Each structure stands twice: as C-alpha cells, then as structure tokens.
Amino acid sequence: MTLRRLIHPMYRKLETIAHPLRYLFIEITQRCNLTCRHCGSDCSSDTQLPELSTDEWLDFFRYLNEKTDTKKMVLVVTGGEPFCHPEFDRIMAGLSSQGLSWGMVTNGFALHQDNVNRIISHGISSVTVSLDGDEKTHDWLRGKKGSFRRAAAGIKRLAQANLPFLDVVTCVHPGNLDQLDLILSHLQGLGVRAWRLFSIFPKGRARENPELLLSEAQFRQMLDFIATRRKTLAGSGFDLSFSCEGYLPKALDQQVRDEPYFCRAGISIGSVLCDGSISACPNISRSLIQGNIREDDLVEVWENRFQAFRDRSWMKTAACTECDEWNRCQGNSMHLWDDQQKCTVQCTHQVATGVPN
Amino acid sequence: MRRFARFFLWLMGVAVPVFLAACYGMPYRFSKIGKVIDSESKTGINGIEVSCLNNEQVLDVSHSYEDGKFEIWYDQPCDVLVFEDVDGEENGGLYSQKQIVFDEDTDNIIVEMDQEI
C-alpha cells in the first residue's frame, strides 16, 4: 500500500476540520437540449424553478472575487446544459473578468467549433463531456438522434484545442456494459486522455427507468473492466478510473481509482443551484440545502452551517448501524442518501463484494 | 483548530495529492503562471524546465514556452520552484540553475536567469 493511501484517513479528517471551499458548482440553468433517461436533475427544455438572472450571477462573481481567495477555488459551470443559458456569453465574460478559474460539464451537443472557440476565449481550463456508448445506445440514453455524433465531434475539437484538462464520462448501464472496450478505443481515436465511469443511481428520472440500473453482478463486471484495463493502460498516458461515487472495499478501491474514496461534499465541494440555493454537490437531496445567495452570505453559510456534511453520524442508519466499514465509509456518497428511506440508496461496498455487511 | 488542520494538510500535500473531480464535475488542479527571462536582455527564454518541489519531492514539471511563459500545476503548494536549462546552448545560451521560494499568493512570477560564463 502506498504512503498516500496509508495516511489518507488522517488527511480526510484534517480536510473535514479545515473545510476549504475549493470546488464550487454553479448550476446556471436547468434548461437542457436533451432529455436523458437517467437525468438526476429531471431537466428539460424549459425550467420550472425561479432561476437567478444573469445580473444576479454577475453580482455573485463579483462577490466571490471580493470575499474569497479565487486562486484557491475553481468554479464548475453545470446545468442542465450550460450552453442552453440564453446569456451564456455574459456569464463566461463575468467569470473571466473577475479572474475566476472555471471549467464546465456539458453533454457535448452544442460543442461546434464556434462554441469551442468561445469557451476558450473566456479562459476555460477544464471540460467534461458525456459519451455513453455507440451511436445507437448514446442517442437512446440521451433521448435525441444525432447527439452521439455531435458529442464525439465536440470531444475531438476539445482534444485538438489542448485544454489543460479534458475528460469524458460514461454512465454505465446494462445497455452499454458490453460496449466499454468499444468506447475506449473510440475515445483514444478522438485524442482523449482521461475517462471516468459512473454507474447510474436510482434518483431523478433514473428512478422511473429501472432498466438503467446495473445488477450486482453487472456492477462488479464494470469494476472488473476498470481494474483490468487500468493495468493494461498503465504508462500509456490514458487515465481510466471509477468516479468518486461509492465506497468500495480497500483493495478494489485501489484497483479502480487513483485517489482513495472520499466524498468531499460540503467539505471542500459546494454548489450554488440555479435558484440561488446553496448546497454541496448539485445532485444531493434538496432537503440538505443550507441557504440561498439571494438572502445569505455564501462564506458565512459555508463556515457556519454545513454541519450535516462534516459530521455524518446522522447517516448511520439501517444497515450502516452495525457495519464495520462505517469509519471509512461514513454512509457512502452523500448524493446517494435517500430522504424517504432515511438511508443510502445503494451500499456500493456490499454490491462490490456480493456479501451483506 | 482550523489553522492547525490547514497547516498539516499543507504538510501532507506531497503524499496525498488532491486531484479534484467531483461526481459529475470536471477534473481540476491548481496552477501558477510566470515567465523566465534572461537577466541581461530581459527577453523570454524557451525550453527552461520548471519543477515544483515539496520536501525535495517533485510534484509537477513543465517547460517554458517560446516567449518564456510557463504554467505549473499543483494540488498542494510546493515549497520551491526550480528552473533548469535542460537544452544546453540551444535557445539563447546556457543558463545557471535557479531556485525560488514558492509563494502561493504571488501571481505572474518573473524569474531572471543568468547565462553561465
């Protein structure tokens, strides 16, 4: 075991005490140009929420510049689909004029050359694009014909633009589980150097589409794929990993991730949602919202609230109560918390081992 | 308590790099930009190797561009930056190695390098 994995529990405790806000999601809109079957936010072409106006976002960026150390924080522009914001140019100009480091998460549908040039001219440093299988499978999941071709072309443009960071994420489901090698070679052909895999979890629209959820055996098949290919890809300059979601047995965690599992929600990761709500990651239950930038001071909220994220003992319910893994797992990733059931929707440790804890 | 925690986090930065990439977020590391120039002509030097070190362990290595500008990516602050002419007489002559203390609060680091006599 490497030194970093050995001392990671200590590091995690210290980061929880220090809770530096380093990674702030800004959900600029819930509008989206696709209707993905697994969407955790249930986004659509129109928005149901009273979204912040562009001027409110610009005021907020000025506030960040004045009240935070912008050199130690990055903003993650997300949605919905950021390109669907009617004034995305003004948003980007506001980010760059306030000296904020920023990146974005996109479905890639609008990544034509003009848009790639626009984001680069506004100083973007990192982009994550989704690609979920071959053309038929991707278009099916994303709910729009042509979405695969446009995402793949956009990814190629970004790879050629030589951004500091670019990665592709794939939401793994039973329909694309056997296409992972195909996706890998496709991404390599597009010039991508980093690929993250997720499993789809039963929240948002995915709850109504149970055919998207991996069985326990399929979940293990996905992890086996990652572990095996990481060995063959070692030293190639191509980075493949399982996403940060889900606590796994220590040995397996080491095989599928570069960094040990650590859910940083509310510890160093925060978010401002499209209606101004202050939370941790955007896909976390709205019951855990800590304030709203329309009424509250973000820094004050970050410093003095968020206790539910930094002391997770309240999540020790159901099977977690007697679980030996609790100290390391702490109730699994926060976005998997189910408000109705009052427990995690999925014990990824149990799924990975096939043995009840 | 938080100051203590932050200090130890900084110390542990070498062993536990923080490559941030939240669920459905994009990957990111923090960076610092600067420029390497010739101490006499004040022009940028191409091809200087810039290493970010913490406790003598290398966290990141990059090279200066044609105009002397460089960018270094780090997870936790390094304690020194080392500038080394790795291409010898190419790119305007042979320069002596230089080391500066890393200051996280300084933007646009300007480093002057002397030619070896």
Side-chain angles (χ1 to χ4, degrees):
Chain A
M1 187 189 290
T2 59
L3 173 66
R4 62 203 257 190
R5 282 194 177 261
L6 264 176
I7 66 171
H8 196 268
M10 167 78 79
Y11 183 90
R12 196 163 79 166
K13 276 182 191 158
L14 288 171
E15 188 169 309
T16 306
I17 296 167
H19 55 265
L21 178 56
R22 307 189 82 196
Y23 194 91
L24 182 66
F25 282 98
I26 53 164
E27 186 192 58
I28 60 169
T29 183
Q30 275 204 355
R31 294 183 187 91
C32 192
N33 43 14
L34 301 181
T35 48
C36 306
R37 290 170 192 268
H38 64 298
C39 182
S41 312
D42 215 4
C43 300
S44 61
S45 58
D46 202 4
T47 179
Q48 309 299 318
L49 290 167
E51 297 197 341
L52 294 179
S53 67
T54 305
D55 286 338
E56 283 177 302
W57 279 117
L58 299 182
D59 285 344
F60 178 63
F61 300 154
R62 271 190 289 274
Y63 163 88
L64 287 178
N65 190 4
E66 285 165 17
K67 295 288 183 70
T68 66
D69 186 348
T70 54
K71 289 192 288 293
K72 294 177 185 168
M73 184 170 66
V74 62
L75 269 68
V76 187
V77 179
T78 184
E81 167 55 45
F83 282 114
C84 289
H85 191 286
E87 293 190 294
F88 190 35
D89 273 318
R90 281 187 71 205
I91 298 271
M92 290 190 287
L95 289 164
S96 54
S97 69
Q98 296 302 325
L100 298 162
S101 301
W102 70 283
M104 73 184 287
V105 181
T106 173
N107 59 37
F109 193 76
L111 276 174
H112 49 74
Q113 193 60 53
D114 280 354
N115 276 344
V116 170
N117 295 343
R118 282 164 66 208
I119 58 175
I120 289 171
S121 71
H122 287 296
I124 197 164
S125 52
S126 181
V127 185
T128 289
V129 190
S130 302
L131 201 78
D132 296 313
D134 64 13
E135 185 167 354
K136 191 176 160 196
T137 310
H138 178 94
D139 287 358
W140 172 80
L141 186 71
R142 298 281 160 182
K144 192 175 264 187
K145 206 168 163 46
S147 53
F148 172 88
R149 285 183 183 219
R150 292 177 66 153
I155 290 166
K156 192 173 183 181
R157 289 184 190 107
L158 290 171
Q160 287 167 347
N162 217 10
L163 290 170
F165 301 103
L166 164 66
D167 82 343
V168 169
V169 295
T170 296
C171 293
V172 183
H173 58 90
N176 66 7
L177 186 58
D178 293 327
Q179 297 176 2
L180 296 180
D181 269 320
L182 183 83
I183 303 171
L184 172 60
S185 59
H186 189 58
L187 294 181
Q188 287 173 318
L190 292 173
V192 173
R193 313 295 291 168
W195 184 31
R196 268 183 297 153
L197 301 187
F198 293 82
S199 58
I200 294 174
F201 52 91
K203 291 188 104 177
R205 220 174 273 153
R207 201 190 280 271
E208 277 80 57
N209 290 294
E211 75 278 11
L212 295 175
L213 307 180
L214 295 175
S215 68
E216 295 194 359
Q218 289 168 328
F219 187 80
R220 289 194 288 274
Q221 187 184 331
M222 173 189 67
L223 294 176
D224 281 347
F225 170 85
I226 298 171
T228 313
R229 294 298 176 276
R230 273 170 65 90
K231 279 184 197 157
T232 52
L233 290 165
S236 70
F238 187 98
D239 184 57
L240 163 64
S241 65
F242 184 48
S243 78
C244 71
E245 69 173 0
Y247 175 74
L248 296 173
K250 211 186 287 179
L252 185 57
D253 189 65
Q254 206 164 347
Q255 290 170 45
V256 298
R257 292 183 175 122
D258 297 328
E259 309 295 335
Y261 165 80
F262 180 14
C263 174
R264 290 190 159 93
I267 293 167
S268 54
I269 299 174
S271 69
V272 176
L273 305 181
C274 64
D275 63 349
S277 298
I278 302 167
S279 187
C281 298
N283 49 7
I284 285 175
S285 165
R286 288 189 74 87
S287 69
L288 289 164
I289 282 169
Q290 303 292 306
N292 191 300
I293 62 163
R294 281 178 166 144
E295 294 128 29
D296 302 305
D297 182 302
L298 174 81
V299 173
E300 189 271 327
V301 171
W302 181 259
E303 293 301 326
N304 301 315
R305 300 185 200 172
F306 277 95
Q307 288 315 308
F309 294 86
R310 294 163 195 165
D311 175 2
R312 301 189 182 184
S313 52
W314 60 274
M315 291 171 74
K316 197 170 184 180
T317 62
C320 295
T321 317
E322 303 292 323
C323 182
D324 294 339
E325 300 290 329
W326 169 261
N327 283 340
R328 289 177 291 273
C329 172
Q330 299 272 304
N332 216 354
S333 303
M334 206 80 172
H335 68 276
L336 296 175
W337 177 257
D338 187 312
D339 272 337
Q340 271 111 47
Q341 306 281 330
K342 300 286 177 214
C343 63
T344 183
V345 288
Q346 190 178 45
C347 174
T348 42
H349 183 274
Q350 183 185 321
V351 173
T353 55
V355 181
N357 293 329
Chain B
M1 186 66 168
R2 286 188 68 196
R3 278 187 137 182
F4 169 83
R6 284 189 171 172
F7 173 70
F8 277 95
L9 273 178
W10 179 79
L11 283 182
M12 292 169 80
V14 178
V16 189
V18 187
F19 186 61
L20 292 163
C23 296
Y24 296 105
M26 84 289 144
Y28 195 72
R29 275 196 166 101
F30 292 91
S31 73
K32 181 73 72 186
I33 55 169
K35 191 172 181 179
V36 200
I37 57 171
D38 181 296
S39 59
E40 285 193 6
S41 68
K42 309 293 181 196
T43 52
I45 314 168
N46 186 15
I48 296 293
E49 187 176 272
V50 188
S51 308
C52 173
L53 270 70
N54 194 326
N55 286 336
E56 297 180 357
Q57 220 170 324
V58 178
L59 300 187
D60 191 27
V61 175
S62 71
H63 292 84
S64 62
Y65 301 113
E66 213 165 306
D67 58 358
K69 284 185 183 158
F70 67 88
E71 186 159 22
I72 198 102
W73 299 90
Y74 59 93
D75 311 304
Q76 292 289 310
C78 22
D79 44 27
V80 292
L81 290 176
V82 178
F83 299 83
E84 196 169 1
D85 186 348
V86 288
D87 59 17
E89 292 291 343
E90 266 183 62
N91 294 310
L94 181 63
Y95 291 86
S96 307
Q97 194 198 72
K98 187 146 187 177
Q99 188 166 311
I100 65 164
V101 175
F102 180 87
D103 177 4
E104 209 187 359
D105 295 324
T106 304
D107 284 326
N108 293 321
I109 309 158
I110 305 288
V111 180
E112 295 195 359
M113 291 184 75
D114 302 320
Q115 288 219 30
E116 283 190 6
I117 302 160

